[in-house]
Amino acid sequence: MEEKYVREITAKSEDFSQWYVDVIVKGELADYSPVRGCMVIRPYGYALWENMQKLLDRRFKETGHKNAYFPVFIPESLLRKEAEHVEGFAPEVAWVTHGGQEELSERLAVRPTSETIICSMYSKWIKSWRDLPVLINQWCNVVRWEKSTKPFLRTAEFLWQEGHTAHRTEEEAEEETLRMLEVYRDFVETELALPVIKGRKSENEKFAGALRTYTIEAMMSDGKALQAGTSHNLGQHFSKVFDIKFLDQDGKLKYVWQTSWGVSTRLIGAVIMTHGDNRGLRLPPRVAPIQVIIVPIFGQQREEILAKSKAVYQLLKENFRVEIDDRDEYTPGWKFNEWEMKGVPVRLEIGPRDLAQNQMLLVRRDTGEKIQVKESDLENYLNKLLEDIQTNMFKQAKKFMNDNTNTATNFEELKELLINKRGFVKAMWCGDSECEKKVKEETTATLRCIPFEQEEISDRCAICGKEAKKMVYFAKSY
């Protein structure tokens, strides 16, 4: 029975896409809904998102941001105000045309992102340099009518946060853009154990309406890139369109400088695809909904073992996210498989022998290692063990990224690597978008970012042979 249960997950090497969906559905993170392209996030998946939200929200507040909420509906006239922006989102916008039986005099867009509605409010609220900076974040849902969808990665509706700030000067806006990118990097690497590359997007790949877009790029375990978070310096594009002016200290009327930045439930997809294995999920302890699952192995001493399990639960619940699986209708082996599939970092087993010797058996999800621990040492040991699991998961993912990052010095080499090998390819680039387009046309890979940490591989562009300006990363992506 247990063997069959694990086999229900398609092997990663056999069909990565099906493996991903199996892990989500069977691990009870989410399920398909009756609405095309939309998913239902189940309690286990939502608890994971809440833990992520909590850790991010704390960081936002520590950097001076406050949460607010803006309408989900955006009048068409507002959305159309910024041409570049609306062009970027037009194909994905869902429109409301009727209220009840009545046709609306103006169509309403269901929020694809909130720049336009927020800017319309900022033009009311900002009048003087004393009103700046405005540092606002909102947690909400957005709708983008995607043609092909995949749970957490690309759905018609998803959850996210979007920060929107306004500043006196370009320098302050740039500082904020980079500060929030670093907040994202720290969160993703520290809490989700996902190594990322920090850098700037090319002009072709930047956000519609932005001056500059910065990104953190992660590598999934099939070698594809995933944009894990972006931070945009919007310049004065939106402030000029929406007339967001302030009276500066020198008595002159000026336009504000703005930023926007966001991450979404896509990060759950990144955690699954980076850390998951053939047995299912592997969740980093810092965000796992359950950090420790207690599985009593009853034998002949059901009452004593259950009492001991409950006592251990009481001991641990103050400092750990812990649960007991005392269901009688399933065998211990079945439970082991289920909790492994759900990615719980530590399984704690208590059987008759453990009871007699005042000890517990701990099993690590990341390595499968089994450790006997005295009851008196349990709390201290678990603290260290969970940190060690977190660190090890990051190291494993970092090693995978390094092992699957290659270097190309000419176009043939670049093409060969992008078509036949998985992972990232580093190459020199002249800065011409035509070279970037050529790579995309011939390999389907895109320029993921111009990393802050530059290397000089050669002095020539790998695509056209002209003088190179920057080293960049190319990869196929989600």
Side-chain angles (χ1 to χ4, degrees), residues 43-305:
Y44 192 62
Y46 201 79
L48 176 59
W49 176 241
E50 282 180 320
N51 290 340
M52 289 159 72
Q53 209 178 8
K54 217 176 290 170
L55 292 161
L56 255 181
D57 201 59
R58 191 191 74 213
R59 284 169 166 84
F60 296 159
K61 287 177 176 142
E62 282 167 0
T63 45
H65 302 84
K66 290 187 164 71
N67 288 329
Y69 188 80
F70 295 84
V72 70
F73 302 120
I74 299 167
E76 186 170 9
S77 54
L78 268 190
L79 199 64
R80 294 209 177 279
K81 265 190 158 183
E82 215 288 338
E84 199 182 331
H85 184 67
V86 74
E87 197 184 317
F89 283 103
E92 300 172 350
V93 176
W95 295 100
V96 176
T97 57
H98 287 72
Q101 301 302 311
E102 250 174 75
E103 191 170 342
L104 302 177
S105 57
E106 181 180 13
R107 290 197 303 175
L108 297 172
V110 183
R111 170 176 54 218
T113 179
S114 299
E115 275 76 8
T116 55
I117 192 112
I118 289 176
C119 286
S120 72
M121 299 312 297
Y122 282 6
S123 68
K124 280 174 70 174
W125 299 342
I126 299 166
K127 298 297 173 204
S128 156
W129 62 272
R130 291 184 183 87
D131 300 326
L132 297 168
V134 175
L135 307 173
I136 284 180
N137 173 64
Q138 90 164 336
W139 292 95
C140 63
N141 61 341
V142 285
V143 172
R144 295 180 188 173
W145 218 252
E146 300 279 3
K147 284 188 173 66
S148 68
T149 59
K150 189 170 263 189
F152 293 115
L153 293 182
R154 208 168 273 281
T155 48
E157 180 194 14
F158 56 92
L159 304 180
W160 79 346
Q161 61 68 215
E162 48 180 326
H164 295 270
T165 71
H167 305 267
R168 272 185 70 203
T169 65
E170 184 176 5
E171 294 72 37
E172 280 178 33
E174 182 71 359
E175 201 179 298
E176 166 77 0
T177 310
L178 294 171
R179 181 189 299 117
M180 297 322 291
L181 188 75
E182 175 54 25
V183 163
Y184 288 155
R185 184 213 57 81
D186 174 61
F187 165 73
V188 167
E189 292 199 336
T190 307
E191 315 292 0
L192 306 185
L194 300 175
V196 293
I197 290 155
K198 231 167 62 150
R200 184 160 67 87
K201 285 286 189 190
S202 66
E203 288 300 299
N204 274 357
E205 295 288 327
K206 73 176 185 182
F207 178 70
L211 191 60
R212 284 182 289 279
T213 289
Y214 298 99
T215 182
I216 49 171
E217 298 285 324
M219 187 190 287
M220 304 299 97
S221 56
D222 61 348
K224 283 188 183 174
L226 184 123
Q227 183 178 285
T230 48
S231 187
H232 317 287
N233 184 333
L234 301 175
Q236 292 178 312
H237 291 336
F238 287 91
S239 62
K240 284 178 178 172
V241 170
F242 287 90
D243 206 33
I244 312 172
K245 286 184 195 152
F246 69 99
L247 194 63
D248 207 349
Q249 281 166 297
D250 58 11
K252 289 179 183 166
L253 264 182
K254 294 175 186 173
Y255 290 105
V256 298
W257 296 84
Q258 289 176 271
T259 81
S260 70
W261 28 272
V263 296
S264 72
T265 37
R266 197 164 216 240
L267 284 177
I268 294 177
V271 167
I272 298 164
M273 288 195 292
T274 303
H275 300 307
D277 61 18
N278 283 332
R279 299 184 80 81
L281 291 164
R282 292 193 319 154
L283 295 176
R286 292 192 178 194
V287 290
I290 303 167
Q291 294 171 314
V292 182
I293 183 71
I294 301 169
V295 181
I297 299 160
F298 294 130
Q300 303 300 308
Q301 298 165 272
R302 190 186 189 286
E303 291 314 310
E304 296 97 309
I305 287 169

Side-chain angles (χ1 to χ4, degrees), residues 303-369:
E303 291 314 310
E304 296 97 309
I305 287 169
L306 186 57
K308 173 58 74 181
S309 299
K310 286 180 175 173
V312 170
Y313 169 78
Q314 289 300 328
L315 173 76
L316 298 179
K317 72 173 188 178
E318 287 305 308
N319 298 312
F320 304 95
R321 293 187 290 278
V322 59
E323 286 189 14
I324 303 181
D325 187 348
D326 57 0
R327 295 173 293 176
D328 283 328
E329 62 270 32
Y330 295 111
T331 65
W334 196 94
K335 293 176 185 178
F336 296 167
N337 281 318
E338 180 174 42
W339 295 111
E340 273 181 15
M341 188 171 70
K342 293 183 97 164
V344 175
V346 176
R347 183 171 79 240
L348 190 157
E349 299 172 21
I350 304 174
R353 197 168 37 172
D354 304 307
L355 193 66
Q357 295 174 359
N358 270 330
Q359 65 181 24
M360 326 271 141
L361 179 71
L362 303 181
V363 185
R364 291 175 65 143
R365 175 64 181 90
D366 63 327
T367 62
E369 186 191 351

